[in-house]
Amino acid sequence: MASLTVRGWALCAVSLLNFGFVFISGADFIRFVSFRAIYHNITGDTTLCQDSIPWSAALQDSSVLGSLVVDVGLLALFIVQHSLLAWSPVKQALQSVLGALNRTAYCFTTALALQMLMRYWQPVTGAPCLWSVRHAPWSIWFPLLCFSLHFLCWAIICSILMIFDYPEFMGIKQVYYECLGLGDPLSHKSPRAQRFLSHLRHPVCVELGVVLWLLPAMSLDRLLLAGSLSTYLALAHSLDKQDLAYLCVQLNNKLQLLAEPQRGSEHKEK
């Protein structure tokens, strides 16, 4: 019994440490993909591109090509990790080895791949921008508009993650259920819910698309980042009509639950 207790504490410690690392990595990713680019555009601290250089010359520049090769490698590392560890044969093999820590390991490796991408990402400053808002008054107002919309999108993304069982998403619930001897949390869900969650790889595609593409200036490396992640999100999307019907039923149930207290208060007033 003592060994089980020690094992349980060890699992909880690993899960909570991983949660801290993933949370910090998520905050770093928000700064990297959203606010850093907008801040540089507002302040002008960093030159994002060289509009005086023609595209033909920029695409033959060794420094530009070298930066793009590094960036492509970092994106490939993230996409391979994110897809390979979610592939059913690999997922089942890791489940047999890691047990309740399988989801924790997936979140950890995802955060680690993101950290490597952000740390070693090479900005391409020797090529023109695809677009750049530089003329007053839009040079001030448009970055502020982008900042506001990015903030709104990230708020929606965080809200959706909370709605879709954030502890289970981070691997904390799996460890908690393991310590209580309840097994996998997914096994307690209905078959329709399991099917829906197996198809719902990324529930925030629209918001992430806005964050990736809505910027005052679109440099070549940002185009590579936005295009690659948008394509990956589109290919990973596999929801169908049955999933949509299930989601509509669940949404109606939630709305009815929210309406019941209000109805109860109306009856009391009468």
Side-chain angles (χ1 to χ4, degrees):
M1 186 71 180
S3 61
L4 290 175
T5 303
V6 172
R7 179 176 177 273
W9 277 109
L11 289 175
C12 291
V14 171
S15 179
L16 291 175
L17 287 172
N18 176 73
F19 170 77
F21 177 64
V22 173
F23 183 84
I24 293 172
S25 299
D28 288 341
F29 182 70
I30 293 174
R31 177 184 57 83
F32 171 79
V33 82
S34 275
F35 302 128
R36 187 180 69 170
I38 298 174
Y39 173 79
H40 287 328
N41 190 277
I42 293 175
T43 61
D45 289 343
T46 304
T47 302
L48 296 177
C49 49
Q50 297 288 340
D51 290 335
S52 60
I53 300 176
W55 280 104
S56 57
L59 295 177
Q60 294 177 359
D61 189 342
S62 59
S63 63
V64 172
L65 296 177
S67 297
L68 290 176
V69 169
V70 172
D71 295 342
V72 168
L74 292 170
L75 284 168
L77 174 66
F78 171 75
I79 291 173
V80 168
Q81 174 276 327
H82 211 57
S83 300
L84 184 63
L85 269 66
W87 188 34
S88 294
V90 176
K91 193 174 181 179
Q92 292 173 4
L94 291 176
Q95 181 69 34
S96 63
V97 175
L98 299 174
L101 291 177
N102 184 30
R103 182 65 190 182
T104 299
Y106 180 79
C107 292
F108 173 79
T109 53
T110 298
L112 185 62
L114 275 179
Q115 286 287 356
M116 293 181 64
L117 184 146
M118 294 182 289
R119 182 177 180 85
Y120 298 107
W121 186 263
Q122 300 294 315
V124 178
T125 58
C129 281
L130 271 75
W131 66 76
S132 181
V133 180
R134 297 181 179 177
H135 300 291
W138 290 107
S139 59
I140 297 297
W141 288 110
F142 190 68
L144 292 176
L145 175 64
C146 292
F147 179 87
S148 301
L149 290 176
H150 278 227
F151 184 86
L152 177 62
C153 286
W154 285 117
I156 294 173
I157 289 172
C158 293
S159 301
I160 291 175
L161 292 178
M162 293 296 180
I163 292 172
F164 280 95
D165 204 343
Y166 187 72
E168 185 174 350
F169 177 78
M170 294 291 293
I172 297 174
K173 195 172 184 178
Q174 287 83 339
V175 171
Y176 177 72
Y177 272 47
E178 175 71 15
C179 293
L180 295 180
L182 299 176
D184 187 2
L186 191 62
S187 64
H188 295 269
K189 299 182 184 296
S190 66
R192 295 184 68 187
Q194 294 182 28
R195 183 182 187 277
F196 173 73
L197 291 174
S198 67
H199 290 172
L200 191 70
R201 291 285 303 279
H202 303 94
V204 289
C205 294
V206 176
E207 294 81 4
L208 277 177
V210 173
V211 166
L212 289 170
W213 290 99
L214 184 64
L215 281 176
M218 178 62 71
S219 60
L220 188 57
D221 63 289
R222 180 57 181 231
L223 175 66
L224 176 64
L225 178 70
S228 300
L229 294 183
S230 297
T231 303
Y232 177 69
L233 288 171
L235 293 176
H237 180 72
S238 58
L239 294 178
D240 54 21
K241 292 182 178 179
Q242 294 185 40
D243 296 320
L244 180 60
Y246 171 77
L247 187 60
C248 291
V249 170
Q250 295 302 311
L251 180 60
N252 289 331
N253 291 338
K254 295 290 185 182
L255 292 175
Q256 290 177 4
L257 288 175
L258 292 174
E260 284 179 1
Q262 187 175 6
R263 292 173 183 171
S265 62
E266 290 177 355
H267 287 301
K268 288 181 179 180
E269 289 177 358
K270 292 179 181 179

